[in-house]
Structures are given as C-alpha cells and as structure tokens.
Amino acid sequence: MLAIVVAAWTTGTAVRQRRLYTEQLAAQAKERARAEAAEERLRIARELHDVIGHSLSTIAVQAGVERHVGGAEEMSRALGSIEETSRSALRETRRLLGVLREDSPADLVPAPGLGDLDDLLARTRAAGLEVELRLDGEVRGEMELTVYRIVQEALTNVLKHAGAQRATVLIERREEGLVVEITDDGRNARERPYGRGLKGLRERVRVFGGEFEAGVRPVRGFRVMARLPL
C-alpha cells in the first residue's frame, strides 16, 4: 500500500510539473510572438511614415511654389514631378500593405535602394532644392534600404523646415564602416528634440549597431549623420 501511495504521489507530482512547464513554454511563446508583432508593426509604421511623409511634403512644396510662380512651362514641369512622386509613393505603399494582407499575395516590388537615389534626388530638385550627391562605395543587403531611408527623411526635413537652397548627400565607405551624412545651408536650423522621423532613423541605425547624430551646424544649416558598421 505504501509503495502504491508513493508511486501515485510521484506520478501526480511529475504530471503537475510537466503541466506547469508546458504552460510556461506556452506563455513564453505567446510573449515572444507579441513582441515580434509589435516590432513588425513599428517597422511598417516607420516605412509608411518615410514614404508618405516624403511624398506629401515634396508635393506640397511643388504645389506651393507653382501657385506663386505660375507659367505654363513651370506648371508642366511641376505637374510631371508631382505625378512621378505620387506614383512612387503608391508603389511603395502597395508593397507595404501587401505584406499586411493575408488574403492576397504581396506586391513583389523591390524595396528601394541606392539605385533609386537618382529618382529621389530628381524629385527633390524639382521641389526647388539643389542637391549634390557624393557616393563612394557600394552597399548591399538590408542596409541599402536603411541608407535610402536616411537620405529620404533628411531631405524631407530640409524641404519642410530648413528654408534651404542647397543640400549635400555624402555616402562613403571608410575603414570603420559606412558614413551617411546630409547637410544643408538652411536659415531655419535650430536645436530641437528628435521628431518621429529622426527617432525612426535612430532605431534603424541601432539595428546595425551604428551611431546616429542630428543637430545644427556651426555656421548655418543642419546636419544628419549615421555611421554603420560593415
């Protein structure tokens, strides 16, 4: 009888411990899935912010300039640039929303990279900002999208806030890693806390273990700089 009681108690204890262990694993898996979902939502929110923010800012600047300047040739050029900016934004938005939709396959448009910088700079120049690009070296993989978004967000802020005439984009490979720097000659540069766009850039750079800085230049203008280890 004693042996039966001990065996029953041992079996019950083992079953109870097994059940507790299984419940702990399930709770950990649920928490991990919740964290991954939150991280993915944050990533998509950053992408949508960059795409829509840049496109609408560029369109607004172009429309405002055209309203004051007028002229058939200028209007045709502005409308053409607005059309291209809108189409580009729609393509990227469809790509992102396709990832969220489970009832239809995602649009397989590739994420933008360094090869799309020329189009980005062309739209920015059409909005009235002269931009110089200095590109030294190649970037591959996921970091290429990050570099594109850094340039896109920085130029968007220049168009919206800086009152600048000229900006310079530097992308350079060095021994310690990749340097991405955007400077402008804006009159309205001032120290300000990180906005949502700049916070998103800091998070992107942090994923790669890099460093991010943004602030007023000594004489005039604003500077955005990221160092990304290769």
Side-chain angles (χ1 to χ4, degrees):
M1 289 295 297
L2 180 61
I4 293 174
V5 171
V6 170
W9 179 85
T10 302
T11 303
T13 301
V15 171
R16 185 169 59 253
Q17 290 178 343
R18 179 69 178 179
R19 185 183 300 116
L20 290 175
Y21 178 69
T22 303
E23 291 175 355
Q24 289 175 353
L25 288 180
Q28 291 174 0
K30 186 181 297 183
E31 184 64 28
R32 186 162 54 249
R34 191 159 37 233
E36 291 175 353
E39 184 178 351
E40 183 66 10
R41 285 196 300 270
L42 178 61
R43 185 190 69 80
I44 294 175
R46 285 199 301 261
E47 291 289 313
L48 286 174
H49 172 275
D50 292 345
V51 171
I52 296 175
H54 170 77
S55 302
L56 292 183
S57 297
T58 303
I59 290 172
V61 170
Q62 290 170 325
V65 170
E66 180 54 36
R67 184 164 57 88
H68 290 291
V69 175
E73 184 177 351
E74 290 82 1
M75 180 177 294
S76 176
R77 184 165 55 248
L79 290 176
S81 180
I82 287 173
E83 180 184 11
E84 176 56 32
T85 301
S86 304
R87 291 183 185 279
S88 176
L90 286 173
R91 283 195 299 268
E92 288 202 62
T93 302
R94 289 194 192 100
R95 178 179 63 84
L96 291 170
L97 294 180
V99 175
L100 299 177
R101 291 177 61 91
E102 298 180 355
D103 57 345
S104 64
D107 191 350
L108 299 180
V109 177
L114 296 189
D116 300 287
L117 283 179
D118 288 340
D119 292 338
L120 173 64
L121 299 187
R123 294 194 298 268
T124 305
R125 293 183 183 115
L129 178 67
E130 185 58 37
V131 185
E132 177 186 1
L133 174 63
R134 302 174 184 173
L135 179 60
D136 182 13
E138 296 183 354
V139 185
R140 299 297 182 191
E142 188 178 352
M143 189 179 291
E144 193 172 353
L145 173 61
T146 295
V147 172
Y148 180 90
R149 293 301 187 206
I150 291 173
V151 176
Q152 184 183 51
E153 177 64 24
L155 293 180
T156 300
N157 287 338
V158 174
L159 286 174
K160 290 170 60 178
H161 306 300
Q165 295 181 343
R166 186 177 182 84
T168 301
V169 177
L170 171 67
I171 303 173
E172 183 180 20
R173 289 184 67 132
R174 301 175 182 174
E175 291 184 0
E176 65 273 17
L178 183 73
V179 174
V180 184
E181 184 181 65
I182 300 93
T183 56
D184 66 77
D185 61 355
R187 302 180 301 274
N188 302 330
R190 64 185 184 276
E191 291 289 357
R192 56 184 181 269
Y194 285 106
R196 184 169 298 175
L198 293 180
K199 285 182 179 178
L201 293 186
R202 292 183 69 187
E203 292 168 356
R204 289 178 183 275
V205 172
R206 190 179 302 163
V207 168
F208 295 96
E211 301 174 4
F212 181 79
E213 300 175 8
V216 177
R217 299 172 67 191
V219 178
R220 63 182 295 180
F222 203 78
R223 171 176 175 264
V224 173
M225 193 275 296
R227 295 189 186 92
L228 298 164
L230 297 174

